[in-house]
Amino acid sequence: MSQHHRADLPLPQLAYSTATEDTLMSERNPILITGAAGEIGGVSRTMVDMLLEQGHPVRAFVRTDDERARSLRQAGAEVFVGDLLTVADVTAALEGVRRIYFSVSLSPYYTDAVSLMAAAGRDRGDTEVFVNISEYEQSFMTFDRMTAPEEERRGRLGGLIANSSPQQRAHWVAEQVLQWSGLPTVNVRGAMFVENPLMTWLALEPLSRGEMRLPFGDHRLAPIAGYDVAELCVKILTDPAPHISRSYDLHGPGLKDMHGFAEDYAAVLGRPVVYVPEGVETWSETYIDPALAAIPHTAEHLRTLTRLMGGGGYRGTPDQLETLLGRPPKTVRWALENHPRIRKPASA
């Protein structure tokens, strides 16, 4: 059965299974974590710390042997320096690995990187789980919807866009590639993270004036904390069997409007913050275009995401996260309190 048609199955209980000889053998193999050189508090780096604390060996895949790589070594991880777009590096990184976590920053070469990792894993033939960080938009990017007439597509997506961004399309293709590969895959599709640039560093300048300027009108959203995604992925990697061939569409605890988010920012920053709605295109031209002019792929993705949410096309589904974690998800306020870009202005 395709991984894209199993959301109706009952959610697994996440108690750790009784250790068998195969499980014990797998636990001695390093778990590969890509994207591990992200900033402290990022999903991959948080996962490295969680896995090491639980006693699991970790191989952290990084692009550059820099201060972030040294920090990973100091934490206890084995660091592999390589290029995810070089098949020789990817194959070498998988030596002795049976469990893979795959995440890459926004990139025009995203599908290439996923395909190379899938090909290398398939060639090895002993992969137990491939945890793929996908995107929440994949939950409604079905083939039928993407090939519907433009007017119907616009109606579903809120009217401001008809098509996905190149990055969203790349995630869709990546999920197809992983399905075709036959690898035991789990797709983790988190809704917009609290740590998303739209909610954090792109918003810092107006926040310094006590304004939360965003183009989302009176729409309600439920962003997810990166910490929760990291914890769920660790649970899957350490006990993969109940999750194989599933796709989890996740969002944070409770929908709220932008005025509610302004209250969260005010509490964290310790000063009044009011929500000031802006037009979608005006906001993109003011905040996205100047900040991301040098990386047009990322800029286009954020512009598309902004139009999707600003048009009301970012509709949630019943949340699975609390059942999967066995605890309530972290709140937006908690995530902001623990985000380095927000903490710094708060302490100024």
Side-chain angles (χ1 to χ4, degrees), residues 159-241:
L160 298 181
I161 58 170
N163 297 304
S164 55
S165 73
Q167 183 68 34
Q168 290 165 341
R169 185 175 64 243
H171 277 282
W172 188 84
V173 174
E175 288 198 12
Q176 312 312 305
V177 168
L178 288 168
Q179 183 179 358
W180 300 333
S181 75
L183 291 174
T185 299
V186 183
N187 293 310
V188 177
R189 303 166 173 169
M192 186 178 73
F193 285 25
V194 178
E195 298 85 355
N196 187 290
L198 299 178
M199 300 286 287
T200 54
W201 60 267
L202 285 175
L204 289 180
E205 192 273 329
L207 280 173
S208 68
R209 306 192 304 268
E211 298 176 344
M212 190 184 78
R213 290 184 172 268
L214 287 171
F216 302 144
D218 58 359
H219 300 303
R220 302 170 73 212
L221 302 172
I224 191 170
Y227 183 93
D228 285 344
V229 176
E231 183 174 319
L232 174 59
C233 290
V234 165
K235 285 179 177 288
I236 295 170
L237 287 165
T238 55
D239 186 19

Side-chain angles (χ1 to χ4, degrees), residues 106-145:
L106 302 180
S107 167
Y109 304 108
Y110 183 89
T111 305
D112 300 49
V114 174
S115 300
L116 290 177
M117 185 67 74
R122 180 182 173 88
D123 183 70
R124 287 195 55 83
D126 60 356
T127 299
E128 294 178 341
V129 65
F130 189 116
V131 178
N132 172 46
I133 283 290
S134 191
E135 290 193 332
Y136 187 76
E137 296 83 60
Q138 305 306 312
S139 65
F140 49 81
M141 285 179 66
T142 64
F143 194 86
D144 288 346
R145 290 182 178 182

